[in-house]
């Protein structure tokens, strides 16, 4: 009964968790998947453009998370940055409705630069409000007795977000979309994000007892989680993030091309139902697994999860041999491989993120969001797309850029990277029991 007590959360906390988790992921789905599709379909299919888009977005997102994390700790406030940040975030999405599309050959590069710059602005606002402030708030209101479940629930938010965006608005962005369709898409999704921020002003509350932390200079806070002595003192925290990083690099190899892989490479035109099945099944499986994590311990789930992710990549690659032959079998293979891929990405995020939060020192929740961004976002969003670009370029040798096909070998590249996840997983699981019991004892003493 004690464990249940210390792991319980109130209704308003759950409402805020889900509201900002879902709306934030709707905005990130637009940025992470649909901006890439916009670039590939409406500006240029050349992989260098997508690589630049993802890499620069990651750089600016990381820097702004370091700034935002320091600010929200120094101010002792999260709600202010989260709610108003979401309002402004929505307007930065709406601005993409003003971008000219289908540029002539001599204007492609300037348009690539414009889209990348606008994406960077959007990423700055989103990272301060979501990656820094919201994630610091999540760390504030959760504890070791519920973090596996909470972080997996948050990890499935991208699926619900994708279901909303994909199911409701994907027709505005497919190969037949007009410039007016894209404009409607950006305006609608921007409005949803801003409304989420306004609702949050009436629902969200900062955890009681948080005090402004101005003991150090802003520069010291900005670089805190990247300082060698801090890394040395909190090495397990960074090992957890290393596992997240490797998983995220593998994910970034294929995710930016996923829509066009299904539509153009696999030549599946009626993909809404199979994608829906993948999303629902992945969400259900990940929630079930997350509950088992909190009940039986996270350490038992690392190895099977990594192995399942590698299997999913291989199954997706094998689907190439069914292209143009048997669409029913192809869709079945896509569903199986997709559930493994997406389900594993959610469970991996829940595993390593929950473990990472367990090692954050009390009072430093905001300061440690920057290192998470460096390892979970910046490095993966630079290395992953570069690996993807190399694979795409190799398999399109001698083909004009306008006729590039995104190869299924992207999934083999992702599988090779996922193999390295076993290294941090081994270290984390060996230390899991000790840290969990330490934190749980502390919670039980505080609740007495």
């Amino acid at each position: 009964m004690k464990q249940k007590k210390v792991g319980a959360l109130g209704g308003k906390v759950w409402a805020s968790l889900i509201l900002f988790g879902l709306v934030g992921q709707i905005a990130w789905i637009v940025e992470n998947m649909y901006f890439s599709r916009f670039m590939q379909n409406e500006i240029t299919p050349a992989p260098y453009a997508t690589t630049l888009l993802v890499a620069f977005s990651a750089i600016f997102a990381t820097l702004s998370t370091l700034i935002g994390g320091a600010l929200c700790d120094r101010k002792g406030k999260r709600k202010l940055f989260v709610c108003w940040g979401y309002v402004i975030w929505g307007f930065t999405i709406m601005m993409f409705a003003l971008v000219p599309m289908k540029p002539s050959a001599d204007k492609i590069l300037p348009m690539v630069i414009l889209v990348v710059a606008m994406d960077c602005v959007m990423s700055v606002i989103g990272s301060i409000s979501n990656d820094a402030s919201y994630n610091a708030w999540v760390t504030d209101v959760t504890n070791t007795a519920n973090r596996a479940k909470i972080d997996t629930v948050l990890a499935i938010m991208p699926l619900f977000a994708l279901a909303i965006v994909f199911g409701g608005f994907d027709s505005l962005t497919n190969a037949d979309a007009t410039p007016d369709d894209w404009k409607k898409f950006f305006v609608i999704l921007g409005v949803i994000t801003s409304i989420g921020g306004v609702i949050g002003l009436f629902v969200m509350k900062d955890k009681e007892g948080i005090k402004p932390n101005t003991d150090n200079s802003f520069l010291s806070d900005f670089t805190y989680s990247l300082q060698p002595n801090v890394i040395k003192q909190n090495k397990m925290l960074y090992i957890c993030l290393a596992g997240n990083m490797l998983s995220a690099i593998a994910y970034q190899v294929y995710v930016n091309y996923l829509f066009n892989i299904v539509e153009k490479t696999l030549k599946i035109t009626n993909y809404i139902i199979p994608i829906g099945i993948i999303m629902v099944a992945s969400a259900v499986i990940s929630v079930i697994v997350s509950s088992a994590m909190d009940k039986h311990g996270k350490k038992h789930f690392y190895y099977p999860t990594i192995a399942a992710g590698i299997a999913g990549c291989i199954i997706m690659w094998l689907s190439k041999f069914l292209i143009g032959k048997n669409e029913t079998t192809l869709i079945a293979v896509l569903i199986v491989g997709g559930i493994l891929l997406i389900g594993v990405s959610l469970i991996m995020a829940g595993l390593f993120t929950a473990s990472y939060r367990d090692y954050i020192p009390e009072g430093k929740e905001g300061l440690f969001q920057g290192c998470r961004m460096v390892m979970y976002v910046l490095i993966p969003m630079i290395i992953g797309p570069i690996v993807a670009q190399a694979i795409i370029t190799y398999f399109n040798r001698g083909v004009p850029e306008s006729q590039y096909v995104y190869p299924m070998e992207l999934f083999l590249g992702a599988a090779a990277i996922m193999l390295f996840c076993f290294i941090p997983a081994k270290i984390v699981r060996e230390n899991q029991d000790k840290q969990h019991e330490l934190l749980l004892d502390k919670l039980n003493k505080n609740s007495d």
Side-chain angles (χ1 to χ4, degrees):
M1 297 299 293
K2 278 286 187 187
Q3 187 168 344
K4 184 177 180 181
K5 181 180 177 180
V6 297
L9 296 175
K12 283 195 172 183
V13 173
W14 271 111
S16 298
L17 280 166
I18 293 172
L19 171 68
F20 288 107
L22 178 59
V23 174
Q25 289 305 320
I26 287 174
W28 284 134
I29 286 293
V30 175
E31 199 271 346
N32 291 331
M33 300 188 78
Y34 282 90
F35 282 177
S36 296
R37 192 180 201 184
F38 178 69
M39 181 73 86
Q40 292 157 20
N41 290 0
E42 305 300 326
I43 308 298
T44 175
Y48 83 87
T50 300
T51 299
L52 289 175
L53 183 76
V54 175
F56 274 94
S57 170
I59 292 170
F60 278 83
T62 301
L63 290 173
S64 53
T65 301
L66 287 165
I67 293 171
L71 283 175
C72 72
D73 269 1
R74 293 178 71 82
K75 295 293 183 181
K77 298 180 183 295
R78 319 294 194 205
K79 177 179 177 177
L80 174 70
F81 293 99
V82 175
C83 296
W84 287 111
Y86 272 55
V87 172
I88 300 170
W89 199 8
F91 281 97
T92 65
I93 295 173
M94 290 183 237
M95 291 298 293
F96 276 80
L98 303 176
V99 176
M101 300 172 214
K102 303 293 185 185
S104 56
D106 61 317
K107 293 182 179 179
I108 287 178
L109 182 58
M111 290 309 304
V112 168
I113 294 172
L114 174 64
V115 173
V116 170
M118 292 178 66
D119 187 23
C120 289
V121 173
M122 186 266 200
S123 295
V124 166
I125 303 301
S127 294
I128 290 174
S129 57
N130 180 272
D131 289 319
S133 305
Y134 173 66
N135 271 286
W137 178 84
V138 171
T139 304
D140 291 340
V141 300
T142 61
N143 56 59
T144 192
N146 56 32
R147 280 178 180 148
K149 181 182 293 184
I150 299 303
D151 277 307
T152 304
V153 167
L154 294 180
I156 69 172
M157 287 298 115
L159 284 188
F160 287 112
L162 185 57
I164 292 170
V165 178
F166 185 80
F169 311 104
D170 185 72
S171 60
L172 298 174
T173 70
N174 61 25
D176 299 324
T178 66
D180 284 342
D181 289 334
W182 274 104
K183 290 177 182 178
K184 291 176 185 176
F185 176 81
F186 290 129
V187 170
I188 293 170
L189 274 299
V191 168
I192 290 173
T193 305
S194 292
I195 289 176
V198 173
I199 294 173
L201 290 169
F202 301 95
V203 177
M204 187 182 217
K205 287 186 177 181
D206 282 332
K207 182 181 178 181
E208 293 183 8
I210 298 178
K211 298 179 180 179
N213 185 350
T214 56
D215 294 341
N216 300 310
S217 67
F218 179 81
L219 180 61
S220 177
D221 284 347
F222 176 76
T223 60
Y224 180 83
S225 64
L226 305 178
Q227 295 172 11
N229 63 312
V230 173
I231 295 173
K232 184 177 180 180
Q233 292 168 8
N234 300 275
K235 61 181 180 180
M236 281 305 304
L237 184 153
Y238 293 87
I239 292 172
C240 294
L241 289 178
N244 240 346
M245 178 186 73
L246 291 166
S247 175
I249 291 174
Y251 180 72
Q252 286 294 330
V253 170
Y254 62 82
V255 69
N256 298 294
Y257 302 95
L258 203 50
F259 283 137
N260 281 334
I261 286 173
V262 174
E263 189 175 16
K264 297 180 180 179
T265 304
L266 295 179
K267 304 185 187 304
I268 299 174
T269 54
N270 298 317
Y271 51 77
I272 293 180
I273 292 177
I275 295 296
I277 293 171
I278 290 170
M279 290 188 293
V280 172
S282 299
V284 171
I285 291 170
S286 61
V287 170
I288 293 172
V289 172
S290 72
S291 297
M293 286 182 212
D294 281 331
K295 183 177 180 180
H296 301 291
K298 296 185 283 288
K299 64 177 289 183
H300 304 293
F301 294 85
Y302 287 100
Y303 293 166
T305 301
I306 297 168
I310 293 170
C313 288
I314 294 172
I315 290 171
M316 288 295 290
W317 171 73
L318 289 172
S319 68
K320 68 178 285 187
F321 299 105
L322 297 170
I323 297 173
K325 295 178 180 178
N326 187 320
E327 186 170 280
T328 301
T329 304
L330 176 59
I331 290 175
V333 171
L334 172 66
I335 290 173
V336 173
I339 290 173
L340 285 172
L341 276 184
I342 303 302
V344 164
S345 70
L346 301 177
I347 295 168
M348 287 283 279
L351 275 170
F352 283 112
T353 303
S355 300
Y356 142 79
R357 291 191 201 278
D358 282 349
Y359 286 101
I360 295 178
E362 189 174 349
K364 304 291 185 182
E365 293 83 3
L367 298 183
F368 275 99
Q369 300 309 315
C371 62
R372 183 184 66 86
M373 284 295 289
V374 169
M375 298 181 71
Y376 186 46
V377 176
L378 177 63
I379 295 175
M381 289 177 69
I382 290 176
I383 295 178
I386 289 175
V387 172
Q389 183 175 342
I391 294 171
I392 293 167
T393 302
Y394 178 81
F395 283 94
N396 283 276
R397 299 186 306 276
V399 178
E401 287 183 352
S402 60
Q403 298 177 25
Y404 271 18
V405 174
Y406 304 121
M408 302 305 291
E409 281 71 19
L410 289 169
F411 295 100
L412 288 184
I417 293 169
M418 283 201 72
L419 283 169
F420 291 95
C421 290
F422 283 110
I423 300 172
K426 182 179 185 298
I427 300 171
V428 173
R429 71 189 299 276
E430 288 175 351
N431 291 270
Q432 198 97 68
D433 289 341
K434 180 180 178 181
Q435 183 67 9
H436 179 73
E437 291 301 322
L438 180 68
L439 293 175
L440 200 57
D441 287 344
K442 183 178 179 181
L443 286 169
N444 286 328
K445 288 177 181 178
N446 290 339
S447 65
D448 289 338

